[in-house]
Amino acid sequence: LGESTGLPLSALSHPTPVTSDQVEHLHRRFKQLSNDKPTIRKEHFDSIPDLEFNPIRCKIVQAFFDRRNLRQEEDGLVDEINFEDFLTIMSYFRPIEPNMDEEQLQRFRTDKIKFLFHMYDSDHDGIITLQEYRNVVEELLSGNPHLEKGAARSIADGAMLEAAQTCVGPMGPNQVYEGITFDDFLKVGSGGAVAGVLGAHSVAPCA
Amino acid sequence: AQRSSGSPASSNGSQSFAIVSFKWNHVKDPYVITLWVLVASLAKIVFHLSHKVTRVVPESALLIVLGLFLGGIVWAADHIASFTLTPTVFFFYLLPPIVLDAGYFMPNRLFFGNLGSILLYAVIGTVWNAATTGLSLYGVYLTGIMGHLDIGLLDFLLFGSLIAAVDPVAVLAVFEEVHVNEILFIIVFGESLLNDAVTVVLYNVFESFVAIGPEKVTGTECVKGIVSFFVVSLGGTLVGIFFAFLLSLVSRFTKHVRIIEPGFVFIISYLSYLTAEMLSLSSILAITFCGICCQKYVKANISEQSSTTVRYTMKMLASGAETIIFMFLGISAVNPDIWTWNTAFILLTLVFISVYRVLGVVLQTWILNHYRMVQLEIIDQVVMSYGGLRGAVAFALVALLDGNKVGEKNLFVSTTIIVVFFTVIFQGLTIKPLVQWLKVKKTEHREPKLNEKLHGRAFDHILSAIEDISGQIGHNYLRDKWSNFDRRFLSKILMRRSAQKSRDQILNVFHELNLKDAISYVAEGERRGSLAFIRSPSTDNMVNVDFNTPRPSTVESSVSYLLRDKAGPVCLDMQALEQRRKSIRDTEDTVTHHTLQQYLYKPRQEHKHLYSRHEIMHNEDEKQDKEIFHRTMRKRLESFKSTKLGINHPKKLNKIHKRDRGQKRRNSSAIPNGKIPSENPVQDFALKEKDLEFSEPEESNDYETLHLGKGVDFLANVTKQNFTDTPSGIDNPVFSADDDQSVYMKFSPWLSSEDTVVPSQRARVQIPYSPNNFRRLTPFRLSNKSIDSFLQADGPEDRPRSFLPESTHM
């Protein structure tokens, strides 16, 4: 399987347990996107037509190049990713196998939430500040053309407040709520909606 | 005029005029029907008097028993079974409201998310049940245990097909009280709805087979049967969707006939049911999908009051119909004419349907679990098997049978009655303890959290993107495509323009939360006793409050209660309270709440509207409310933002600076208008206070630019060390931070015009405090200018917290 399809062997022994079918499929897709080159840059994602309608497209594409998602120690963004990196990102969304045990499932969920967290936290400081949150919400709601300008901001503000109240409780007069840390994020985001999304919807590759 | 008394008409039929006569036959039919409905409803009241009983016994069971009891009375009195549940009444009048209610309130996302599983259980499961039950009974019959019956294979299959279907009415009735988790519920319930197509087809096919006689059944007939299944089900669905489209379109234009708006929902849905019935398609599917497809657009288009009306009417009709159905099931059972007893048949039927149900569920679940993300565990399967109740649909179908063609109709009827009673009563009784014993995961009722919604939305987009990137067509892809299609075409046609703007779910949650915040804030204020909310019909009802007296006890009803009830626009004319004479801090608590009046709800003159059947006032304050919400939210976050960015200090500097500037101007200012009894020492005291607190409207009214996010600009300005404070518009002192003013109410603010901003001391809460924490109370400000200048009020004037009234002697 390795040499004949041009798959780098390292991909097959990739630490994330993706089945070989999926690897095949993704590799084909990768080659399609990269025009048969070994690496992909951000521009290559523009060739996906359906992605255009996605309001948070930029952030998602950027997430592919985020070092934190690629499990690298440094911070920041890379310019191009190879297939192994591509696989790493995609493996966050692989379908849940029935033989996963509780711990694996938990880790799986945490990974997904972490992915989301990295997406929100654009300056990579580990905290989602109000401005960052506002950016995300505005982008998220940008799909609705009838939304007033201030509404998205207000919503972000409200959500931030809610997070503050949930995570820190009633605050003293001099307390400052810096922003949402990852733990807070887990606490706040572990509600029903997210759990339902996480549990019920992973991406299942079609045959 | 010859008779002088109220005696009934003379029996000799003379030509004399009867003043009063007893016209029983004239009213008999509607009277009896109404009486029965009344009896059923009264019974419900009686049942719910005892909590212990209703917690254990499901209502449906109680109603059946009541029906048996009443039927017994009627029979004993008359020796005829005069009331039965006729299939016509059932199918035309009692079943549609229940199914419409189910469809209209169906959680669509959940439903379509599990549609695959639901369809599998509904179609394959029902066919399996019908086939196995029918064939097994036939097999047993062949062994001769049942004795001799005028019956053939086809009859058995016919019976199997009508007894196999899980009944939506019964499932709803029982599961409503059991509260299993939503996925389990939607699967069982969806199955009960969608199996109607199968039931209809099987029933019709076998009935006609029985009619034409078993000899003439050929292969083509069977093929025709299979084809008819697809036609019936898909046809019914399409009819439903068509009428849903019609309904949504109509609701788009009903802006000027709001009174009859709710009527359209019922009429058009009912038409869909009848149309499908007319075309011999599946009418249950039609009305279900009509409800499912129209709900989004109709709910967006019709007014708030109409929506409430629709909801309540639907629930009332559905609940009423359900009550009547169960009661009449009981009554119809008391009919000795139909009773035929065949122990083997009846017992075996019970056994077979239970066993085969379990088998079917287990098999199908095993298959499904290979394809499902969320697995269905053993516990779920137990509940699903046990919750497969049979109900009135089976009974109506069996009553519909032609006694001439089906030899053993009475036996079938008796068996069906027993089966229905068994499942509803016995299984209904025991399912709750079973669920608890097995520790089935229950629904978690949680308030919608903004964050959850946002994250859910983000994940949706991410998953769609991943699917796009990896080139797969998956669940999210489909849903995304649908929602794009919907947004671009359907919503434009079917939704009112104004509705299109605000139909975003996240916005709805946001507004809901704002409302809740406002309500809890008000409730908190009430609880603390610093506010007396008096609901006054108009702002003319100004009361001259004497500061010396304690809080007037004329609080009509808690305003928060009113708000919670969403009783439309409430006029909050708040009256200041409180003179706790003891401590100085208490005296600070003199407040008024025009804040809320100003910032949340415009006080509304209650129109002395003549009773009009054609018009109602609708809420024209939506835009204003929205603006107010935006404003308040923005202001709330200023504190947040300001503390985060550390602009506390510059801000304070600003204010002190301003205060200094202000003071120079103030000392010579006149006391603003208002009735101020100057003898009151507190007042004098307050007067001095007042001198310091006049706000400085220094900039023009930015009201129009409010919702363009000026708040952030303000902060940006401040960070630039810009000393001209330019907050936008009216500062809602409730939500501004760092306000340490300690100003009293100097005059009766309610005497001023509506637009006066006289926020209460209590009303100033520092965010992100929860409303329960009113420690940092800040007083309000007054203007030395005319009242109108409040519209130009500027940013909050700051004052250190420790600044107590008694130390301000200026």
Side-chain angles (χ1 to χ4, degrees):
Chain A
L1 182 63
E3 290 311 317
S4 54
T5 57
L7 262 180
L9 269 175
S10 59
L12 292 179
S13 55
H14 201 272
T16 57
V18 193
T19 71
S20 53
D21 290 342
Q22 296 166 355
V23 173
E24 268 277 5
H25 176 92
L26 288 173
H27 188 240
R28 249 178 286 137
R29 187 68 178 156
F30 183 84
K31 283 209 287 200
Q32 212 182 1
L33 285 176
S34 71
N35 297 327
D36 281 335
K37 298 212 201 57
T39 58
I40 295 188
R41 311 178 75 90
K42 278 201 196 140
E43 303 83 60
H44 289 119
F45 282 94
D46 292 339
S47 58
I48 305 175
D50 290 322
L51 208 50
E52 227 183 303
F53 299 113
N54 201 314
I56 48 174
R57 177 174 65 95
C58 299
K59 285 213 154 27
I60 295 178
V61 170
Q62 197 181 43
F64 271 76
F65 296 88
D66 190 332
R67 275 190 213 260
R68 295 171 295 178
N69 289 336
L70 298 172
R71 302 186 199 267
Q72 297 174 4
E73 287 77 34
E74 312 93 43
D75 233 358
L77 301 173
V78 295
D79 287 328
E80 46 187 26
I81 53 172
N82 58 22
F83 180 60
E84 195 170 332
D85 301 324
F86 186 70
L87 257 193
T88 313
I89 306 279
M90 287 307 226
S91 71
Y92 286 121
F93 300 97
R94 67 189 181 282
I96 302 180
E97 285 110 43
N99 52 5
M100 279 180 161
D101 59 22
E102 188 56 42
E103 188 208 317
Q104 273 182 307
L105 280 174
Q106 197 53 39
R107 201 162 19 107
F108 196 54
R109 286 199 188 103
T110 318
D111 280 344
K112 275 190 183 155
I113 300 188
K114 211 170 191 118
F115 185 84
L116 191 63
F117 184 78
H118 289 156
M119 222 176 68
Y120 283 2
D121 180 22
S122 42
D123 62 2
H124 303 239
D125 61 357
I127 298 182
I128 303 177
T129 59
L130 182 61
Q131 196 52 44
E132 287 170 348
Y133 209 48
R134 277 185 183 158
N135 283 342
V136 177
V137 172
E138 273 173 19
E139 261 185 43
L140 210 50
L141 298 178
S142 61
N144 184 348
H146 301 289
L147 214 54
E148 294 164 355
K149 276 202 234 170
R153 185 171 282 137
S154 313
I155 291 176
D157 296 347
M160 197 68 168
L161 263 181
E162 196 184 78
Q165 281 179 3
T166 318
C167 305
V168 187
M171 289 175 31
N174 296 318
Q175 257 181 300
V176 164
Y177 186 59
E178 290 290 343
I180 308 182
T181 62
F182 184 57
D183 294 321
D184 294 343
F185 198 70
L186 277 177
K187 244 193 281 181
V188 164
S190 61
V194 182
V197 173
L198 290 181
H201 301 296
S202 302
V203 174
C206 56
Chain B
Q2 280 78 2
R3 306 283 151 145
S4 51
S5 70
S7 54
S10 66
S11 52
N12 58 11
S14 68
Q15 270 73 357
S16 58
F17 175 71
I19 296 180
V20 169
S21 52
F22 188 68
K23 297 184 183 166
W24 170 245
N25 285 321
H26 189 58
V27 297
K28 177 166 125 180
D29 289 331
Y31 204 98
V32 167
I33 294 177
T34 316
L35 257 186
W36 277 118
V37 175
L38 181 64
V39 166
S41 315
L42 286 176
K44 261 178 107 105
I45 298 181
V46 170
F47 291 154
H48 284 279
L49 284 179
S50 160
H51 261 292
K52 270 193 243 162
V53 173
T54 46
R55 219 169 356 150
V56 174
V57 185
E59 208 177 87
S60 38
L62 287 170
L63 283 166
I64 289 186
V65 170
L66 172 74
L68 281 171
F69 182 63
L70 287 175
I73 294 183
V74 168
W75 186 73
D78 255 351
H79 284 272
I80 43 169
S82 43
F83 302 104
T84 51
L85 187 65
T86 54
T88 324
V89 168
F90 177 73
F91 280 118
F92 280 167
Y93 303 116
L94 294 176
L95 189 57
I98 299 180
V99 183
L100 176 61
D101 177 59
Y104 193 76
F105 294 108
M106 178 78 75
N108 270 356
R109 189 175 163 138
L110 206 57
F111 179 73
F112 286 108
N114 289 293
L115 191 60
S117 321
I118 294 178
L119 276 177
L120 184 71
Y121 285 116
V123 177
I124 308 288
T126 313
V127 170
W128 160 268
N129 281 340
T132 51
T133 311
L135 289 173
S136 316
L137 282 173
Y138 180 63
V140 172
Y141 172 68
L142 287 179
T143 64
I145 301 185
M146 295 186 197
H148 177 73
L149 296 168
D150 176 16
I151 208 169
L153 168 64
L154 286 173
D155 298 274
F156 277 112
L157 286 174
L158 175 59
F159 180 69
S161 67
L162 63 87
I163 202 81
V166 176
D167 184 78
V169 181
V171 165
L172 255 184
V174 168
F175 269 62
E176 223 167 38
E177 314 190 0
V178 173
H179 301 300
V180 295
N181 68 63
E182 48 194 18
I183 296 198
L184 199 48
F185 171 73
I186 201 76
I187 291 183
V188 180
F189 181 59
E191 176 197 345
S192 70
L193 278 180
L194 295 190
N195 67 20
D196 178 61
V198 182
T199 310
V200 162
V201 168
L202 285 177
Y203 180 82
N204 284 332
V205 161
F206 285 122
E207 203 192 9
S208 59
F209 280 6
V210 165
I212 41 183
E215 318 79 43
K216 304 217 191 71
V217 175
T218 62
T220 45
E221 302 288 333
C222 292
V223 169
K224 276 203 272 182
I226 297 181
V227 169
S228 81
F229 164 68
F230 288 102
V231 170
V232 162
S233 51
L234 290 174
T237 314
L238 286 174
V239 168
I241 294 182
F242 170 72
F243 277 94
F245 187 83
L246 200 62
L247 176 57
S248 315
L249 196 57
V250 167
S251 70
R252 186 176 170 191
F253 300 109
T254 53
K255 187 163 179 195
H256 299 286
V257 288
R258 292 228 188 251
I259 287 284
I260 61 171
E261 232 178 0
F264 283 110
V265 177
F266 295 99
I267 292 179
I268 298 187
S269 312
Y270 192 48
L271 263 184
S272 77
Y273 185 86
L274 293 176
T275 311
E277 190 71 32
M278 175 178 76
L279 298 172
S280 76
L281 304 170
S282 165
S283 44
I284 292 189
L285 277 186
I287 202 174
T288 304
F289 277 97
C290 183
I292 287 181
C293 298
C294 81
Q295 41 162 279
K296 176 172 163 193
Y297 306 105
V298 168
K299 281 180 192 164
N301 281 341
I302 61 181
S303 70
E304 187 72 36
Q305 286 104 326
S306 295
S307 182
T308 311
T309 309
V310 167
R311 184 171 51 217
Y312 273 98
T313 311
M314 233 184 245
K315 292 288 176 196
M316 183 188 78
L317 286 176
S319 178
E322 193 185 286
T323 312
I324 297 180
I325 289 178
F326 283 116
M327 197 175 72
F328 268 87
L329 267 180
I331 297 179
S332 313
V334 184
N335 184 357
D337 295 338
I338 57 169
W339 275 102
T340 319
W341 186 268
N342 184 322
T343 322
F345 189 82
I346 295 180
L347 238 84
L348 283 171
T349 310
L350 277 174
V351 167
F352 284 144
I353 58 169
S354 314
V355 167
Y356 286 123
R357 170 106 185 133
V358 173
L359 268 179
V361 165
V362 168
L363 276 173
Q364 290 168 92
T365 315
W366 180 77
I367 299 177
L368 269 183
N369 275 341
H370 289 295
Y371 297 98
R372 280 182 64 90
M373 294 303 160
V374 177
Q375 307 278 281
L376 294 166
E377 306 151 17
I378 304 280
I379 295 184
D380 298 326
Q381 293 171 43
V382 168
V383 175
M384 273 195 280
S385 325
Y386 207 67
L389 308 174
R390 274 63 170 182
V393 173
F395 178 76
L397 283 176
V398 87
L400 211 48
L401 286 175
D402 187 344
N404 297 324
K405 309 231 179 74
V406 181
E408 292 288 342
K409 174 179 170 179
N410 284 336
L411 176 60
F412 288 171
V413 172
S414 316
T415 316
T416 309
I417 291 185
I418 299 212
V419 167
V420 170
F421 280 17
F422 178 78
T423 56
V424 173
I425 298 182
F426 180 70
Q427 280 178 239
L429 257 174
T430 49
I431 195 169
K432 218 174 189 181
L434 184 72
V435 158
Q436 277 168 350
W437 181 58
L438 291 175
K439 301 197 193 55
V440 177
K441 250 199 320 184
K442 300 230 168 158
T443 47
E444 302 162 5
H445 273 291
R446 54 154 44 85
E447 306 256 298
K449 289 257 177 84
L450 207 49
N451 278 298
E452 289 175 9
K453 278 252 184 270
L454 283 171
H455 297 329
R457 178 75 64 91
F459 258 116
D460 281 346
H461 285 307
I462 294 180
L463 289 175
S464 304
I466 297 285
E467 275 180 4
D468 290 334
I469 293 177
S470 58
Q472 296 156 6
I473 300 204
H475 216 108
N476 301 284
Y477 179 86
L478 287 173
R479 195 178 49 230
D480 221 36
K481 293 299 153 269
W482 167 256
S483 95
N484 275 337
F485 170 71
D486 173 57
R487 190 180 326 143
R488 272 193 277 164
F489 301 111
L490 285 183
S491 295
K492 294 234 170 73
I493 306 176
L494 298 176
M495 268 213 252
R496 230 171 260 176
R497 199 141 311 180
S498 54
Q500 283 176 41
K501 288 189 204 171
S502 50
R503 65 171 177 68
D504 200 308
Q505 268 235 337
I506 288 189
L507 257 189
N508 289 340
V509 173
F510 179 58
H511 282 312
E512 250 180 59
L513 286 178
N514 265 340
L515 196 56
K516 284 204 185 103
D517 270 346
I519 291 178
S520 67
Y521 162 72
V522 167
E524 182 58 35
E526 281 178 336
R527 189 181 73 79
R528 291 227 150 194
S530 70
L531 316 167
F533 289 88
I534 294 190
R535 182 176 182 219
S536 76
S538 74
T539 49
D540 294 323
N541 184 15
M542 306 299 190
V543 180
N544 205 354
V545 165
D546 183 1
F547 286 139
N548 281 326
T549 60
R551 168 162 43 128
S553 53
T554 56
V555 179
E556 282 180 11
S557 57
S558 152
V559 165
S560 51
Y561 174 72
L562 289 171
L563 287 177
R564 255 183 229 112
D565 261 1
K566 282 198 177 181
V570 173
C571 166
L572 301 177
D573 200 6
M574 291 156 257
Q575 218 180 39
L577 271 212
E578 250 5 287
Q579 286 287 345
R580 282 189 229 149
R581 309 141 212 101
K582 300 290 163 88
S583 76
I584 295 301
R585 204 165 357 121
D586 287 336
T587 50
E588 284 179 0
D589 295 347
T590 316
V591 291
T592 57
H593 279 268
H594 279 256
T595 307
L596 273 186
Q597 176 179 307
Q598 175 69 24
Y599 289 113
L600 295 180
Y601 291 96
K602 234 352 178 237
R604 163 170 305 213
Q605 311 276 353
E606 200 167 276
H607 297 269
K608 304 285 185 233
H609 217 303
L610 298 174
Y611 172 65
S612 160
R613 296 188 64 191
H614 303 291
E615 287 212 16
I616 50 173
M617 303 300 295
H618 45 273
N619 187 5
E620 269 139 351
D621 288 335
E622 286 169 16
K623 183 162 193 285
Q624 169 192 299
D625 290 343
K626 242 194 280 187
E627 273 177 16
I628 290 175
F629 284 146
H630 290 327
R631 238 187 304 151
T632 52
M633 284 314 295
R634 190 179 32 258
K635 284 303 170 182
R636 279 173 125 200
L637 262 297
E638 273 178 27
S639 69
F640 218 58
K641 189 76 161 112
S642 67
T643 50
K644 167 139 182 65
L645 299 179
I647 20 180
N648 250 336
H649 294 301
K651 211 166 159 202
K652 274 204 168 76
L653 275 175
N654 274 340
K655 288 166 190 165
I656 295 174
H657 180 233
K658 261 196 345 197
R659 189 193 355 134
D660 289 338
R661 280 185 294 163
Q663 271 172 13
K664 298 191 189 99
R665 285 201 234 158
R666 260 185 237 125
N667 289 333
S668 53
S669 54
I671 311 296
N673 56 324
K675 304 187 177 59
I676 305 171
S678 44
E679 314 78 57
N680 191 325
V682 176
Q683 295 281 299
D684 283 333
F685 194 42
L687 251 149
K688 293 175 195 157
E689 257 302 297
K690 178 182 51 156
D691 290 342
L692 310 163
E693 297 307 326
F694 290 176
S695 61
E696 292 283 330
E698 285 176 334
E699 49 286 314
S700 61
N701 183 10
D702 278 344
Y703 196 87
E704 303 79 49
T705 57
L706 265 184
H707 53 278
L708 292 184
K710 276 289 199 156
V712 176
D713 292 348
F714 159 57
L715 295 169
N717 284 339
V718 174
T719 35
K720 285 188 232 153
Q721 298 285 308
N722 183 351
F723 276 93
T724 55
D725 245 349
T726 54
S728 54
I730 305 178
D731 182 19
N732 183 351
V734 176
F735 298 113
S736 9
D738 308 331
D739 281 323
D740 301 321
Q741 305 164 13
S742 51
V743 174
Y744 302 143
M745 172 196 56
K746 308 301 181 297
F747 59 93
S748 337
W750 49 89
L751 292 175
S752 49
S753 82
E754 279 183 13
D755 294 330
T756 307
V757 178
V758 196
S760 78
Q761 198 150 342
R762 293 254 169 173
R764 299 217 186 168
V765 175
Q766 192 174 30
I767 299 299
Y769 273 13
S770 60
N772 294 323
N773 197 338
F774 284 100
R775 263 189 282 146
R776 297 281 296 265
L777 303 175
T778 54
F780 49 80
R781 324 164 303 244
L782 297 172
S783 167
N784 59 335
K785 309 242 168 79
S786 77
I787 299 303
D788 292 334
S789 66
F790 270 100
L791 289 175
Q792 308 162 8
D794 68 344
E797 278 202 296
D798 220 336
R799 177 171 287 280
R801 173 74 179 108
S802 54
F803 187 79
L804 292 179
E806 73 259 31
S807 55
T808 59
H809 303 291
M810 301 271 179

